[in-house]
Amino acid sequence: MSTADREARYDHIKMLARKYPIRNAKLRAAHESTKKAYFGLLTLLSTAAQQDHTEDQRLFLQRIAAGAGYTLDFEEWMKARKMIEEELANGNQIQLEENTYSLLLDGLLLINLTGAATAEELRMSAELSIVLNVAQPELKMLAQLAKSLIHQSEEEFNSIVATDPVKWRGMFTHHIPVDWLKNSKIYCGSYEEIIGGEGAYNAIHKLFKINERLEVVFKVKENSLVQKDDVIVKYIKNGEENCILSLRSGRVFYRELKKNINIDQKMVSISVFIGSCFNQLDTPKT
């Protein structure tokens, strides 16, 4: 394209980015020097195997920039890349505030917008994670998340093997579709227990026709991470062993509903749920 056509196309990309910004609240609140380092690193990653970005990559970068209130043009991004290269070459620490994981995810998304990331780009992503002190399991989890977003696959999103039950809460919601988070809470089952004194135990048996008091022999701690088909609760009722299994990978949480039986005892119905480690809300909808 001619210079004029190229500039017109780039202006169109910036217009689209302003219309469809990626609103990363933490990046928007970051210091200007952090934003410069952020986009310098993204430019470094995405131009590792080529001299220039594709239009899809430019649009993605501009959408992130628009959401972060960042207005530098592409030429200035290249200057930011040069600055980052010098910082890395000198062994200086890159300050990203709370945006390290977001940067790596954006980097993985960006380098795959060409169709498939090159070996050089993947190598640089791995090396950057080392520089930023990101553990290998965390990078692997971010790669799983990036893959699900690229494929727009809710099934792949639900199979992500999380590294921590609390650390990722509320993160990456600028990329993760709202429906995925809404659908991430899954009811796995429930059981009932009688709690309280033994005085009225025989009367309770007759009232509720209970042959044996339910005995919980195993229960996963709330907020623990489990994989699909893991046992969450194991209990014995009427002499038979029962299990509540995890229907997907995720974080365990419980909801209790207590009903008064008499002054000493209560019937407690405990529902078991699995939720995504990315979901901020803990209150399940039934």
Side-chain angles (χ1 to χ4, degrees):
M1 291 189 292
S2 67
T3 300
D5 288 341
R6 186 181 178 88
E7 289 178 353
R9 185 61 189 162
Y10 198 55
D11 287 341
H12 180 68
I13 287 173
K14 288 192 286 187
M15 181 274 293
L16 288 175
R18 289 191 295 270
K19 189 174 181 180
Y20 303 104
I22 296 174
R23 303 184 188 280
N24 184 338
K26 286 185 178 180
L27 184 59
R28 188 175 186 87
H31 191 273
E32 196 70 13
S33 61
T34 296
K35 294 179 185 179
K36 191 169 186 177
Y38 193 98
F39 286 103
L41 285 167
L42 284 180
T43 305
L44 179 63
L45 279 175
S46 55
T47 56
Q50 72 244 23
Q51 293 298 314
D52 203 352
H53 294 108
T54 66
E55 286 202 356
D56 285 340
Q57 287 179 314
R58 287 191 175 202
L59 177 57
F60 184 70
L61 281 167
Q62 288 286 1
R63 289 181 65 205
I64 298 172
Y70 197 69
T71 57
L72 290 183
D73 288 330
F74 180 74
E75 289 75 12
E76 291 174 289
W77 287 3
M78 296 305 289
K79 293 178 183 177
R81 169 191 165 152
K82 186 176 180 181
M83 177 202 76
I84 286 294
E85 285 180 314
E86 292 174 354
E87 293 287 330
L88 293 173
N90 293 330
N92 296 331
Q93 188 174 1
I94 308 299
Q95 299 295 333
L96 291 173
E97 301 176 40
E98 297 179 298
N99 298 284
T100 299
Y101 297 114
S102 180
L103 168 78
L104 289 172
L105 177 62
D106 281 345
L108 289 168
L109 293 172
L110 186 63
I111 62 179
N112 279 284
L113 285 177
T114 56
T118 66
E120 175 67 10
E121 289 168 333
L122 292 173
R123 181 188 64 80
M124 286 192 66
S125 296
E127 289 182 354
L128 181 58
S129 71
I130 294 172
V131 171
L132 297 175
N133 296 315
V134 173
Q136 185 178 0
E138 294 177 327
L139 180 61
K140 182 178 179 180
M141 192 202 79
L142 292 173
Q144 290 176 322
L145 176 56
K147 183 180 178 182
S148 72
L149 294 171
I150 291 166
H151 292 168
Q152 282 297 285
S153 171
E154 188 172 359
E155 182 179 355
E156 289 182 7
F157 174 74
N158 288 334
S159 66
I160 291 172
V161 180
T163 59
D164 189 280
V166 177
K167 181 177 186 176
W168 308 104
R169 283 188 195 174
M171 292 186 67
F172 315 124
T173 52
H174 52 287
H175 283 312
I176 300 171
V178 173
D179 287 345
W180 290 10
L181 293 175
K182 286 182 178 179
N183 297 336
S184 68
K185 296 189 181 94
I186 299 178
Y187 170 74
C188 297
S190 62
Y191 62 98
E192 293 181 336
E193 288 185 280
I194 295 176
I195 59 174
E198 297 289 337
Y201 187 51
N202 290 332
I204 298 303
H205 272 205
K206 292 178 182 179
L207 179 62
F208 289 94
K209 298 180 180 180
I210 299 173
N211 297 322
E212 266 187 55
R213 183 188 285 266
L214 182 145
E215 178 189 359
V216 176
V217 295
F218 173 78
K219 182 177 180 179
V220 171
K221 186 178 179 181
E222 189 164 41
N223 279 328
S224 296
L225 291 172
V226 294
Q227 303 305 314
K228 188 176 184 296
D229 295 328
D230 281 356
V231 175
I232 302 175
V233 179
K234 182 185 292 186
Y235 61 91
I236 296 174
K237 184 177 181 180
N238 299 333
E240 295 184 0
E241 185 177 274
N242 299 269
C243 292
I244 297 176
L245 304 180
S246 171
L247 298 180
R248 50 153 289 185
S249 299
R251 179 169 55 90
V252 175
F253 55 104
Y254 303 98
R255 188 177 68 179
E256 294 186 357
L257 179 61
K258 296 181 181 180
K259 298 179 181 178
N260 290 327
I261 296 174
N262 57 42
I263 194 170
D264 295 319
Q265 294 185 319
K266 295 180 185 295
M267 175 71 80
V268 182
S269 177
I270 302 173
S271 298
V272 183
F273 294 86
I274 292 295
S276 168
C277 67
F278 303 109
N279 203 314
Q280 182 65 41
L281 301 176
D282 286 340
T283 305
K285 294 180 180 179
T286 59

Short mmCIF file of all heavy atoms in Angstrom, two decimals, residues 190-249:
data_model
loop_
_atom_site.label_atom_id
_atom_site.label_comp_id
_atom_site.label_asym_id
_atom_site.label_seq_id
_atom_site.Cartn_x
_atom_site.Cartn_y
_atom_site.Cartn_z
N SER A 190 -25.95 -33.00 46.89
CA SER A 190 -26.19 -32.53 48.25
C SER A 190 -26.39 -33.72 49.18
O SER A 190 -26.61 -34.84 48.74
CB SER A 190 -27.40 -31.60 48.31
OG SER A 190 -28.57 -32.30 47.91
N TYR A 191 -26.29 -33.44 50.47
CA TYR A 191 -26.56 -34.46 51.48
C TYR A 191 -27.08 -33.76 52.72
O TYR A 191 -26.97 -32.54 52.85
CB TYR A 191 -25.28 -35.26 51.79
CG TYR A 191 -24.16 -34.44 52.37
CD1 TYR A 191 -23.91 -34.40 53.74
CD2 TYR A 191 -23.31 -33.71 51.54
CE1 TYR A 191 -22.88 -33.65 54.27
CE2 TYR A 191 -22.27 -32.95 52.05
CZ TYR A 191 -22.06 -32.93 53.41
OH TYR A 191 -21.03 -32.17 53.94
N GLU A 192 -27.70 -34.53 53.61
CA GLU A 192 -28.31 -33.96 54.81
C GLU A 192 -27.71 -34.58 56.07
O GLU A 192 -27.43 -35.77 56.12
CB GLU A 192 -29.82 -34.16 54.80
CG GLU A 192 -30.52 -33.38 53.70
CD GLU A 192 -32.03 -33.57 53.73
OE1 GLU A 192 -32.46 -34.62 54.27
OE2 GLU A 192 -32.75 -32.71 53.23
N GLU A 193 -27.50 -33.73 57.05
CA GLU A 193 -26.98 -34.18 58.33
C GLU A 193 -27.89 -33.65 59.44
O GLU A 193 -28.47 -32.57 59.32
CB GLU A 193 -25.57 -33.64 58.57
CG GLU A 193 -24.48 -34.28 57.73
CD GLU A 193 -23.11 -33.77 58.14
OE1 GLU A 193 -22.76 -32.66 57.70
OE2 GLU A 193 -22.42 -34.47 58.90
N ILE A 194 -27.97 -34.41 60.54
CA ILE A 194 -28.62 -33.93 61.74
C ILE A 194 -27.53 -33.55 62.73
O ILE A 194 -26.63 -34.35 63.00
CB ILE A 194 -29.53 -35.00 62.36
CG1 ILE A 194 -30.69 -35.31 61.42
CG2 ILE A 194 -30.06 -34.55 63.72
CD1 ILE A 194 -31.59 -36.42 61.89
N ILE A 195 -27.56 -32.32 63.19
CA ILE A 195 -26.56 -31.87 64.14
C ILE A 195 -27.24 -31.49 65.44
O ILE A 195 -28.39 -31.05 65.46
CB ILE A 195 -25.76 -30.67 63.59
CG1 ILE A 195 -26.67 -29.48 63.27
CG2 ILE A 195 -24.95 -31.06 62.37
CD1 ILE A 195 -25.91 -28.24 62.88
N GLY A 196 -26.56 -31.69 66.53
CA GLY A 196 -27.11 -31.34 67.83
C GLY A 196 -27.01 -32.49 68.80
O GLY A 196 -26.32 -33.47 68.57
N GLY A 197 -27.75 -32.38 69.92
CA GLY A 197 -27.67 -33.36 71.01
C GLY A 197 -28.26 -34.70 70.64
O GLY A 197 -28.98 -34.86 69.66
N GLU A 198 -27.99 -35.71 71.48
CA GLU A 198 -28.45 -37.06 71.27
C GLU A 198 -29.80 -37.33 71.93
O GLU A 198 -30.39 -38.38 71.72
CB GLU A 198 -27.41 -38.05 71.84
CG GLU A 198 -26.05 -37.97 71.15
CD GLU A 198 -26.09 -38.53 69.74
OE1 GLU A 198 -26.99 -39.34 69.45
OE2 GLU A 198 -25.23 -38.14 68.94
N GLY A 199 -30.29 -36.39 72.75
CA GLY A 199 -31.47 -36.65 73.57
C GLY A 199 -32.69 -37.07 72.78
O GLY A 199 -33.44 -37.95 73.18
N ALA A 200 -32.89 -36.42 71.66
CA ALA A 200 -34.09 -36.73 70.88
C ALA A 200 -33.78 -37.58 69.66
O ALA A 200 -34.56 -37.63 68.70
CB ALA A 200 -34.74 -35.41 70.43
N TYR A 201 -32.65 -38.29 69.68
CA TYR A 201 -32.20 -39.02 68.50
C TYR A 201 -33.21 -40.06 68.03
O TYR A 201 -33.54 -40.16 66.86
CB TYR A 201 -30.84 -39.67 68.80
CG TYR A 201 -30.20 -40.30 67.59
CD1 TYR A 201 -30.05 -39.59 66.40
CD2 TYR A 201 -29.76 -41.63 67.63
CE1 TYR A 201 -29.46 -40.16 65.30
CE2 TYR A 201 -29.18 -42.21 66.53
CZ TYR A 201 -29.02 -41.47 65.36
OH TYR A 201 -28.44 -42.05 64.26
N ASN A 202 -33.76 -40.86 68.97
CA ASN A 202 -34.72 -41.89 68.59
C ASN A 202 -35.99 -41.29 67.99
O ASN A 202 -36.55 -41.81 67.04
CB ASN A 202 -35.07 -42.75 69.81
CG ASN A 202 -33.90 -43.61 70.24
OD1 ASN A 202 -33.07 -43.97 69.41
ND2 ASN A 202 -33.83 -43.94 71.53
N ALA A 203 -36.44 -40.18 68.56
CA ALA A 203 -37.63 -39.51 68.04
C ALA A 203 -37.39 -39.00 66.62
O ALA A 203 -38.26 -39.07 65.76
CB ALA A 203 -38.03 -38.35 68.95
N ILE A 204 -36.18 -38.50 66.38
CA ILE A 204 -35.82 -38.00 65.04
C ILE A 204 -35.83 -39.15 64.04
O ILE A 204 -36.28 -39.01 62.90
CB ILE A 204 -34.44 -37.32 65.07
CG1 ILE A 204 -34.49 -36.11 66.00
CG2 ILE A 204 -34.03 -36.88 63.67
CD1 ILE A 204 -35.53 -35.09 65.63
N HIS A 205 -35.34 -40.31 64.48
CA HIS A 205 -35.35 -41.48 63.61
C HIS A 205 -36.76 -41.77 63.13
O HIS A 205 -37.01 -42.01 61.95
CB HIS A 205 -34.79 -42.69 64.36
CG HIS A 205 -33.31 -42.81 64.25
ND1 HIS A 205 -32.65 -43.99 64.37
CD2 HIS A 205 -32.37 -41.89 64.02
CE1 HIS A 205 -31.35 -43.80 64.23
NE2 HIS A 205 -31.16 -42.51 64.02
N LYS A 206 -37.70 -41.76 64.07
CA LYS A 206 -39.08 -42.08 63.72
C LYS A 206 -39.68 -41.00 62.82
O LYS A 206 -40.39 -41.29 61.86
CB LYS A 206 -39.92 -42.22 64.99
CG LYS A 206 -39.53 -43.43 65.84
CD LYS A 206 -40.37 -43.49 67.11
CE LYS A 206 -39.95 -44.68 67.97
NZ LYS A 206 -40.73 -44.75 69.24
N LEU A 207 -39.36 -39.74 63.13
CA LEU A 207 -39.94 -38.63 62.38
C LEU A 207 -39.47 -38.62 60.93
O LEU A 207 -40.25 -38.43 60.01
CB LEU A 207 -39.59 -37.30 63.07
CG LEU A 207 -40.11 -36.03 62.39
CD1 LEU A 207 -41.64 -36.03 62.36
CD2 LEU A 207 -39.59 -34.81 63.13
N PHE A 208 -38.18 -38.85 60.73
CA PHE A 208 -37.63 -38.76 59.38
C PHE A 208 -37.34 -40.13 58.76
O PHE A 208 -36.78 -40.22 57.67
CB PHE A 208 -36.33 -37.93 59.40
CG PHE A 208 -36.59 -36.47 59.63
CD1 PHE A 208 -36.54 -35.95 60.91
CD2 PHE A 208 -36.90 -35.63 58.58
CE1 PHE A 208 -36.79 -34.61 61.14
CE2 PHE A 208 -37.15 -34.29 58.79
CZ PHE A 208 -37.10 -33.76 60.07
N LYS A 209 -37.71 -41.20 59.50
CA LYS A 209 -37.53 -42.56 58.99
C LYS A 209 -36.07 -42.83 58.62
O LYS A 209 -35.75 -43.34 57.55
CB LYS A 209 -38.44 -42.82 57.80
CG LYS A 209 -39.91 -42.72 58.15
CD LYS A 209 -40.80 -43.00 56.95
CE LYS A 209 -42.26 -42.88 57.34
NZ LYS A 209 -43.16 -43.14 56.19
N ILE A 210 -35.19 -42.41 59.49
CA ILE A 210 -33.76 -42.58 59.27
C ILE A 210 -33.31 -43.86 59.98
O ILE A 210 -33.53 -44.01 61.18
CB ILE A 210 -32.97 -41.38 59.80
CG1 ILE A 210 -33.40 -40.12 59.06
CG2 ILE A 210 -31.47 -41.60 59.65
CD1 ILE A 210 -32.81 -38.85 59.63
N ASN A 211 -32.71 -44.77 59.23
CA ASN A 211 -32.25 -46.02 59.82
C ASN A 211 -30.90 -45.86 60.51
O ASN A 211 -30.61 -46.52 61.48
CB ASN A 211 -32.15 -47.11 58.76
CG ASN A 211 -33.51 -47.42 58.14
OD1 ASN A 211 -34.51 -47.43 58.84
ND2 ASN A 211 -33.53 -47.65 56.84
N GLU A 212 -30.09 -44.99 59.96
CA GLU A 212 -28.76 -44.77 60.53
C GLU A 212 -28.39 -43.32 60.38
O GLU A 212 -28.70 -42.69 59.37
CB GLU A 212 -27.71 -45.63 59.79
CG GLU A 212 -27.44 -46.97 60.44
CD GLU A 212 -26.27 -47.67 59.76
OE1 GLU A 212 -25.19 -47.06 59.69
OE2 GLU A 212 -26.45 -48.81 59.33
N ARG A 213 -27.73 -42.79 61.38
CA ARG A 213 -27.25 -41.42 61.28
C ARG A 213 -26.20 -41.34 60.16
O ARG A 213 -25.31 -42.18 60.08
CB ARG A 213 -26.65 -40.98 62.60
CG ARG A 213 -26.17 -39.52 62.59
CD ARG A 213 -25.42 -39.22 63.87
NE ARG A 213 -26.32 -39.08 65.00
CZ ARG A 213 -26.80 -37.90 65.42
NH1 ARG A 213 -26.48 -36.79 64.80
NH2 ARG A 213 -27.58 -37.85 66.47
N LEU A 214 -26.34 -40.32 59.31
CA LEU A 214 -25.38 -40.15 58.21
C LEU A 214 -24.00 -39.83 58.77
O LEU A 214 -23.86 -38.99 59.66
CB LEU A 214 -25.86 -39.04 57.28
CG LEU A 214 -25.01 -38.75 56.05
CD1 LEU A 214 -25.90 -38.34 54.88
CD2 LEU A 214 -24.00 -37.64 56.32
N GLU A 215 -23.00 -40.49 58.24
CA GLU A 215 -21.63 -40.27 58.70
C GLU A 215 -20.77 -39.82 57.52
O GLU A 215 -20.65 -40.54 56.52
CB GLU A 215 -21.05 -41.55 59.28
CG GLU A 215 -19.59 -41.41 59.73
CD GLU A 215 -18.96 -42.72 60.12
OE1 GLU A 215 -19.65 -43.76 60.05
OE2 GLU A 215 -17.76 -42.72 60.47
N VAL A 216 -20.21 -38.61 57.61
CA VAL A 216 -19.31 -38.12 56.57
C VAL A 216 -17.91 -38.65 56.88
O VAL A 216 -17.34 -38.37 57.93
CB VAL A 216 -19.28 -36.57 56.54
CG1 VAL A 216 -18.26 -36.08 55.52
CG2 VAL A 216 -20.66 -36.03 56.21
N VAL A 217 -17.37 -39.43 55.95
CA VAL A 217 -16.05 -40.02 56.17
C VAL A 217 -14.94 -39.26 55.45
O VAL A 217 -13.76 -39.42 55.76
CB VAL A 217 -16.04 -41.51 55.73
CG1 VAL A 217 -16.96 -42.32 56.59
CG2 VAL A 217 -16.41 -41.64 54.26
N PHE A 218 -15.33 -38.41 54.47
CA PHE A 218 -14.33 -37.62 53.75
C PHE A 218 -15.02 -36.41 53.15
O PHE A 218 -16.12 -36.51 52.61
CB PHE A 218 -13.68 -38.45 52.64
CG PHE A 218 -12.77 -37.64 51.75
CD1 PHE A 218 -11.49 -37.29 52.16
CD2 PHE A 218 -13.20 -37.23 50.49
CE1 PHE A 218 -10.66 -36.55 51.34
CE2 PHE A 218 -12.36 -36.48 49.67
CZ PHE A 218 -11.09 -36.15 50.10
N LYS A 219 -14.38 -35.24 53.27
CA LYS A 219 -14.94 -34.02 52.71
C LYS A 219 -13.81 -33.08 52.34
O LYS A 219 -12.96 -32.74 53.16
CB LYS A 219 -15.87 -33.35 53.73
CG LYS A 219 -16.54 -32.08 53.23
CD LYS A 219 -17.50 -31.54 54.28
CE LYS A 219 -18.19 -30.26 53.82
NZ LYS A 219 -19.13 -29.74 54.83
N VAL A 220 -13.79 -32.66 51.09
CA VAL A 220 -12.76 -31.73 50.62
C VAL A 220 -13.00 -30.36 51.25
O VAL A 220 -14.14 -29.89 51.34
CB VAL A 220 -12.81 -31.61 49.08
CG1 VAL A 220 -11.90 -30.48 48.59
CG2 VAL A 220 -12.41 -32.92 48.43
N LYS A 221 -11.95 -29.73 51.68
CA LYS A 221 -12.05 -28.41 52.30
C LYS A 221 -12.55 -27.38 51.29
O LYS A 221 -12.16 -27.39 50.12
CB LYS A 221 -10.69 -27.99 52.85
CG LYS A 221 -10.70 -26.70 53.64
CD LYS A 221 -9.31 -26.38 54.18
CE LYS A 221 -9.30 -25.06 54.95
NZ LYS A 221 -7.95 -24.74 55.47
N GLU A 222 -13.40 -26.48 51.76
CA GLU A 222 -13.93 -25.43 50.88
C GLU A 222 -12.79 -24.60 50.31
O GLU A 222 -11.80 -24.32 50.97
CB GLU A 222 -14.91 -24.53 51.63
CG GLU A 222 -15.65 -23.56 50.72
CD GLU A 222 -16.87 -22.96 51.36
OE1 GLU A 222 -16.78 -22.61 52.56
OE2 GLU A 222 -17.90 -22.83 50.70
N ASN A 223 -12.95 -24.20 49.04
CA ASN A 223 -11.97 -23.44 48.26
C ASN A 223 -10.81 -24.28 47.74
O ASN A 223 -9.92 -23.76 47.09
CB ASN A 223 -11.41 -22.24 49.04
CG ASN A 223 -12.34 -21.04 49.01
OD1 ASN A 223 -13.05 -20.84 48.03
ND2 ASN A 223 -12.36 -20.28 50.08
N SER A 224 -10.85 -25.59 48.00
CA SER A 224 -9.83 -26.46 47.44
C SER A 224 -10.05 -26.64 45.94
O SER A 224 -11.18 -26.54 45.44
CB SER A 224 -9.86 -27.83 48.11
OG SER A 224 -9.55 -27.74 49.48
N LEU A 225 -8.96 -26.93 45.23
CA LEU A 225 -9.05 -27.20 43.80
C LEU A 225 -9.20 -28.70 43.58
O LEU A 225 -8.53 -29.50 44.22
CB LEU A 225 -7.79 -26.71 43.08
CG LEU A 225 -7.59 -25.20 43.01
CD1 LEU A 225 -6.22 -24.87 42.44
CD2 LEU A 225 -8.68 -24.54 42.18
N VAL A 226 -10.09 -29.06 42.68
CA VAL A 226 -10.30 -30.46 42.33
C VAL A 226 -10.33 -30.60 40.82
O VAL A 226 -10.54 -29.63 40.09
CB VAL A 226 -11.61 -31.01 42.93
CG1 VAL A 226 -11.55 -31.05 44.45
CG2 VAL A 226 -12.81 -30.19 42.47
N GLN A 227 -10.13 -31.83 40.37
CA GLN A 227 -10.23 -32.14 38.95
C GLN A 227 -11.53 -32.90 38.69
O GLN A 227 -12.18 -33.39 39.61
CB GLN A 227 -9.03 -32.99 38.50
CG GLN A 227 -7.68 -32.35 38.77
CD GLN A 227 -7.55 -30.97 38.16
OE1 GLN A 227 -7.90 -30.77 36.99
NE2 GLN A 227 -7.05 -30.01 38.92
N LYS A 228 -11.90 -32.99 37.44
CA LYS A 228 -13.12 -33.69 37.05
C LYS A 228 -13.10 -35.12 37.59
O LYS A 228 -12.07 -35.81 37.50
CB LYS A 228 -13.29 -33.69 35.54
CG LYS A 228 -14.63 -34.23 35.04
CD LYS A 228 -14.72 -34.10 33.54
CE LYS A 228 -16.09 -34.54 33.02
NZ LYS A 228 -16.37 -35.95 33.26
N ASP A 229 -14.21 -35.55 38.17
CA ASP A 229 -14.42 -36.89 38.71
C ASP A 229 -13.72 -37.14 40.03
O ASP A 229 -13.75 -38.27 40.54
CB ASP A 229 -14.00 -37.98 37.70
CG ASP A 229 -14.87 -37.97 36.44
OD1 ASP A 229 -16.06 -37.63 36.55
OD2 ASP A 229 -14.36 -38.29 35.35
N ASP A 230 -13.08 -36.12 40.62
CA ASP A 230 -12.54 -36.27 41.97
C ASP A 230 -13.69 -36.41 42.97
O ASP A 230 -14.78 -35.84 42.77
CB ASP A 230 -11.70 -35.05 42.38
CG ASP A 230 -10.31 -35.07 41.77
OD1 ASP A 230 -9.96 -36.06 41.10
OD2 ASP A 230 -9.58 -34.08 41.95
N VAL A 231 -13.46 -37.16 44.06
CA VAL A 231 -14.44 -37.27 45.13
C VAL A 231 -14.38 -36.01 45.99
O VAL A 231 -13.33 -35.65 46.52
CB VAL A 231 -14.18 -38.51 46.00
CG1 VAL A 231 -15.15 -38.54 47.19
CG2 VAL A 231 -14.32 -39.78 45.18
N ILE A 232 -15.52 -35.34 46.15
CA ILE A 232 -15.60 -34.14 46.99
C ILE A 232 -16.08 -34.52 48.39
O ILE A 232 -15.51 -34.09 49.39
CB ILE A 232 -16.55 -33.09 46.38
CG1 ILE A 232 -16.07 -32.70 44.97
CG2 ILE A 232 -16.63 -31.85 47.26
CD1 ILE A 232 -17.02 -31.77 44.25
N VAL A 233 -17.14 -35.30 48.44
CA VAL A 233 -17.70 -35.75 49.72
C VAL A 233 -17.96 -37.25 49.64
O VAL A 233 -18.51 -37.74 48.64
CB VAL A 233 -19.01 -35.02 50.07
CG1 VAL A 233 -19.58 -35.53 51.39
CG2 VAL A 233 -18.79 -33.51 50.14
N LYS A 234 -17.57 -37.96 50.69
CA LYS A 234 -17.90 -39.38 50.81
C LYS A 234 -18.61 -39.57 52.15
O LYS A 234 -18.12 -39.12 53.18
CB LYS A 234 -16.65 -40.25 50.75
CG LYS A 234 -16.92 -41.76 50.83
CD LYS A 234 -15.61 -42.55 50.89
CE LYS A 234 -14.87 -42.46 49.58
NZ LYS A 234 -13.67 -43.34 49.61
N TYR A 235 -19.79 -40.21 52.11
CA TYR A 235 -20.53 -40.41 53.35
C TYR A 235 -21.23 -41.78 53.34
O TYR A 235 -21.45 -42.39 52.28
CB TYR A 235 -21.56 -39.28 53.56
CG TYR A 235 -22.61 -39.17 52.48
CD1 TYR A 235 -23.82 -39.84 52.58
CD2 TYR A 235 -22.40 -38.36 51.36
CE1 TYR A 235 -24.80 -39.73 51.61
CE2 TYR A 235 -23.36 -38.25 50.37
CZ TYR A 235 -24.55 -38.93 50.50
OH TYR A 235 -25.51 -38.83 49.52
N ILE A 236 -21.55 -42.24 54.53
CA ILE A 236 -22.25 -43.51 54.69
C ILE A 236 -23.65 -43.21 55.21
O ILE A 236 -23.83 -42.51 56.21
CB ILE A 236 -21.50 -44.43 55.67
CG1 ILE A 236 -20.13 -44.79 55.09
CG2 ILE A 236 -22.31 -45.70 55.94
CD1 ILE A 236 -19.25 -45.56 56.04
N LYS A 237 -24.65 -43.73 54.51
CA LYS A 237 -26.03 -43.53 54.90
C LYS A 237 -26.77 -44.85 54.71
O LYS A 237 -26.67 -45.48 53.65
CB LYS A 237 -26.69 -42.43 54.05
CG LYS A 237 -28.11 -42.12 54.46
CD LYS A 237 -28.67 -40.97 53.62
CE LYS A 237 -30.09 -40.64 54.05
NZ LYS A 237 -30.66 -39.53 53.25
N ASN A 238 -27.50 -45.26 55.75
CA ASN A 238 -28.23 -46.53 55.71
C ASN A 238 -27.31 -47.70 55.37
O ASN A 238 -27.69 -48.63 54.65
CB ASN A 238 -29.38 -46.48 54.71
CG ASN A 238 -30.40 -45.41 55.06
OD1 ASN A 238 -30.54 -45.05 56.23
ND2 ASN A 238 -31.08 -44.90 54.06
N GLY A 239 -26.07 -47.59 55.85
CA GLY A 239 -25.11 -48.67 55.64
C GLY A 239 -24.45 -48.68 54.28
O GLY A 239 -23.61 -49.55 54.00
N GLU A 240 -24.79 -47.73 53.43
CA GLU A 240 -24.22 -47.69 52.09
C GLU A 240 -23.31 -46.49 51.93
O GLU A 240 -23.59 -45.41 52.45
CB GLU A 240 -25.33 -47.63 51.04
CG GLU A 240 -26.20 -48.87 50.98
CD GLU A 240 -27.22 -48.78 49.86
OE1 GLU A 240 -27.23 -47.74 49.14
OE2 GLU A 240 -28.00 -49.73 49.70
N GLU A 241 -22.23 -46.70 51.19
CA GLU A 241 -21.28 -45.61 50.92
C GLU A 241 -21.75 -44.81 49.71
O GLU A 241 -22.10 -45.38 48.68
CB GLU A 241 -19.88 -46.18 50.66
CG GLU A 241 -18.82 -45.10 50.49
CD GLU A 241 -17.43 -45.69 50.32
OE1 GLU A 241 -16.77 -45.96 51.33
OE2 GLU A 241 -17.02 -45.88 49.15
N ASN A 242 -21.76 -43.50 49.86
CA ASN A 242 -22.17 -42.60 48.77
C ASN A 242 -21.07 -41.58 48.53
O ASN A 242 -20.37 -41.17 49.46
CB ASN A 242 -23.46 -41.85 49.15
CG ASN A 242 -24.63 -42.79 49.38
OD1 ASN A 242 -25.37 -43.10 48.47
ND2 ASN A 242 -24.78 -43.26 50.62
N CYS A 243 -20.94 -41.14 47.27
CA CYS A 243 -19.92 -40.15 46.92
C CYS A 243 -20.54 -39.04 46.07
O CYS A 243 -21.41 -39.31 45.22
CB CYS A 243 -18.78 -40.80 46.14
SG CYS A 243 -17.77 -41.94 47.11
N ILE A 244 -20.10 -37.83 46.30
CA ILE A 244 -20.42 -36.70 45.43
C ILE A 244 -19.15 -36.37 44.67
O ILE A 244 -18.11 -36.08 45.27
CB ILE A 244 -20.91 -35.48 46.23
CG1 ILE A 244 -22.21 -35.82 46.96
CG2 ILE A 244 -21.13 -34.28 45.31
CD1 ILE A 244 -22.73 -34.71 47.86
N LEU A 245 -19.22 -36.44 43.34
CA LEU A 245 -18.05 -36.26 42.49
C LEU A 245 -18.04 -34.87 41.86
O LEU A 245 -19.10 -34.26 41.62
CB LEU A 245 -18.02 -37.31 41.39
CG LEU A 245 -18.06 -38.78 41.82
CD1 LEU A 245 -18.03 -39.68 40.58
CD2 LEU A 245 -16.91 -39.10 42.76
N SER A 246 -16.85 -34.39 41.56
CA SER A 246 -16.71 -33.13 40.83
C SER A 246 -17.08 -33.34 39.37
O SER A 246 -16.59 -34.26 38.72
CB SER A 246 -15.26 -32.63 40.94
OG SER A 246 -15.06 -31.53 40.10
N LEU A 247 -17.94 -32.48 38.85
CA LEU A 247 -18.38 -32.59 37.46
C LEU A 247 -17.45 -31.88 36.49
O LEU A 247 -17.61 -31.98 35.28
CB LEU A 247 -19.80 -32.05 37.32
CG LEU A 247 -20.87 -32.80 38.13
CD1 LEU A 247 -22.24 -32.18 37.90
CD2 LEU A 247 -20.88 -34.27 37.77
N ARG A 248 -16.46 -31.15 37.04
CA ARG A 248 -15.49 -30.46 36.20
C ARG A 248 -14.33 -30.03 37.07
O ARG A 248 -14.37 -30.16 38.30
CB ARG A 248 -16.09 -29.23 35.52
CG ARG A 248 -16.84 -28.30 36.45
CD ARG A 248 -16.86 -26.88 35.96
NE ARG A 248 -15.54 -26.27 36.07
CZ ARG A 248 -15.28 -24.99 35.82
NH1 ARG A 248 -16.25 -24.21 35.41
NH2 ARG A 248 -14.08 -24.49 35.96
N SER A 249 -13.27 -29.53 36.46
CA SER A 249 -12.16 -28.97 37.24
C SER A 249 -12.58 -27.62 37.79
O SER A 249 -13.31 -26.87 37.15
CB SER A 249 -10.93 -28.79 36.34
OG SER A 249 -10.50 -30.02 35.81
#
